[in-house]
Amino acid sequence: MTPTDLVDLHLHSSCSDGSDTPAELVRTAFDHGCRSIALTDHDTLSGLGQASEQARALNMQLISGVEISIPFQQRTMHLLVYLNDGAHEALEEHLRVLQTGRRERNRAIAKAMADDGIPITYEQVVVQAGSEEGLGRPHFAATLVNLGVADTIDDAFDRFLATGRPYDLARKSLTLDEALELVRASHAISVVAHPMTLGYTTTTLGSIATELRERGVDGLEVYYSRYRPEIRLELEAIAHAAGLLATGGSDYHGTYKIGLKPGVGEGDLRVPLRCFTDLSDELSRR
Ligand code: AMP
Ligand code: FE
Ligand code: FE
Ligand code: ZN
């Protein structure tokens, strides 16, 4: 029997690098048992109108969000930003700058691949993505698969696009302090997404969590689909000790991340309802 009370605070639509339109995504989340969700596309709020309309029609609770990439030490931190309803002009202005940087980076990736003899054009990747807006590395990966250059999206990342691979080119980004200032000014909430990608052990992450909290980070993504239950428990303890909100989600991207479903991730994910209520309560205080 499908549950009807699942929570998922990390979902991507075709406005960034997911394969489902915002309306399809919300419908799919509903069909998998979600009733309390957040849309967190990369660098854009453009799916939120359609998503909230669909959520309203299905009587679901939806929090607005966006995920931004920030250089951190030698790695990239993904910061989930959760927002109150209403206008976000300052944030949108910064997101437009990030989108322009993304476009420049994307053209540079296409050129670098073509220069190296990979038979790909920027236009093919735009067709794959549906538009230039929200185009990202997963669209390059899918195009390489279609061209027969890579076997799967993961294979394309492993060989060409993942961190440290030849076509992971840098793009314009905000510093963590700039992003946190923008979050504060937007009366929003910041959460470090999939924190193990920062590359620390949970022990080190424990000490860094307090520093992050002091710098203005509000939460930690504890219940992440691709983390083992033991890791989720350790992250839960870290968030609790540092006074950070605990959130969670699948990071569902449709066909761009195989094996994940909204709400349940790889099957065993359960994000406690209090993650959603704590987050909305905290937002209402901002
Ligand atoms: P971009 O924002 O264009 O730099 O692309 C980043 C996106 O690529 C992430 O949000 C993930 O969806 C995806 N991604 C990053 N690394 C990998 C990887 N190693 N394997 C599969 N997908 C990845
Ligand atoms: Fe993504
Ligand atoms: Fe992410
Ligand atoms: Zn994500």
Side-chain angles (χ1 to χ4, degrees), residues 118-121 124-125 140-150:
I118 298 174
I120 194 171
T121 65
Q124 285 169 328
V125 189
F140 279 91
T143 307
L144 291 174
V145 173
N146 292 340
L147 290 169
V149 175

Side-chain angles (χ1 to χ4, degrees), residues 58-94:
L58 295 169
N59 208 11
M60 296 165 78
Q61 309 190 77
L62 174 87
I63 292 179
S64 302
V66 61
E67 182 175 20
I68 54 182
S69 305
I70 289 163
F72 187 78
Q73 322 275 336
Q74 305 313 317
R75 302 267 186 151
T76 303
M77 174 190 284
H78 284 191
L79 198 69
L80 291 163
V81 178
Y82 295 104
L83 303 157
N84 281 301
D85 293 340
H88 293 284
E89 276 158 38
L91 176 61
E92 299 241 40
E93 199 181 307
H94 280 83

Side-chain angles (χ1 to χ4, degrees), residues 243-273:
L244 290 163
L245 281 168
T247 72
S250 63
D251 208 2
Y252 174 78
H253 283 65
T255 58
Y256 287 100
K257 270 196 184 158
I258 300 297
L260 295 177
K261 293 191 182 107
V264 295
E266 292 177 346
D268 71 339
L269 182 71
R270 290 294 180 280
V271 181
L273 183 60

Side-chain angles (χ1 to χ4, degrees), residues 84-120:
N84 281 301
D85 293 340
H88 293 284
E89 276 158 38
L91 176 61
E92 299 241 40
E93 199 181 307
H94 280 83
L95 294 177
R96 275 194 291 276
V97 174
L98 296 181
Q99 287 156 16
T100 304
R102 175 179 277 285
R103 236 167 253 184
E104 288 164 3
R105 190 271 324 243
N106 291 339
R107 286 185 181 277
I109 294 179
K111 180 166 187 317
M113 286 182 169
D115 286 351
D116 291 344
I118 298 174
I120 194 171

